[in-house]
Amino acid sequence: MRAGRLRDNVSIESIGSARDQFGQVIESWSEDTTRRCSIEPINGREYFAAQGENVIDSVRIRFRYEAGLISEKKRLVDKSVSPNVVYDIQSIINPGNEDRELICMCVRRGVV
């Protein structure tokens, strides 16, 4: 993998839960780590919902391979733009099972 392609930084976040003072479960995201990556847009699709227009952006995010770094239960946050952009991970690909890079197929959820 060429290091020059990794121009972006994203935070890898996982969800955790705790109980508040009333005993209700509260879920919140916490940052695990930050890694260099490459964010590449795939396509954009617009559709109309009952209350207005929504946009779904699919992106490909490439990382250097690291075992256990990413799972579908985590999310990626691009903090280099303002406001921060959140990506939901749809699938993770290890091309050719060569353990060189990880490709995350993601959907842009919105901003934080």
Side-chain angles (χ1 to χ4, degrees):
M1 169 163 227
R2 298 164 78 190
R5 296 169 83 188
L6 307 178
R7 293 181 287 233
D8 303 303
N9 280 323
V10 294
S11 296
I12 301 170
E13 296 183 349
S14 60
I15 195 162
S17 61
R19 294 201 179 269
D20 66 4
Q21 61 190 13
F22 302 109
Q24 295 179 343
V25 176
I26 299 173
E27 294 182 341
S28 63
W29 291 94
S30 61
E31 182 176 328
D32 292 341
T33 185
T34 301
R35 291 288 188 267
R36 304 278 303 168
C37 66
S38 171
I39 300 174
E40 307 161 3
I42 297 174
N43 65 12
R45 180 178 52 178
E46 296 183 10
Y47 65 95
F48 293 91
Q51 295 296 321
E53 184 177 314
N54 293 318
V55 177
I56 294 179
D57 292 326
S58 298
V59 296
R60 178 185 305 124
I61 301 178
R62 296 176 188 266
F63 293 92
R64 286 188 188 274
Y65 179 83
E66 186 175 327
L69 176 67
I70 302 172
S71 71
E72 282 89 2
K73 296 179 182 178
K74 297 185 179 188
R75 73 178 186 178
L76 305 174
V77 179
D78 184 3
K79 295 185 177 180
S80 65
V81 295
S82 180
N84 300 337
V85 178
V86 177
Y87 297 103
D88 288 331
I89 300 172
Q90 301 297 308
S91 65
I92 301 169
I93 303 166
N94 180 0
N97 290 326
E98 296 177 351
D99 297 343
R100 291 184 181 185
E101 68 178 334
L102 293 173
I103 300 174
C104 295
M105 304 307 286
C106 301
V107 174
R108 180 181 171 171
R109 181 171 45 158
V111 296
V112 175

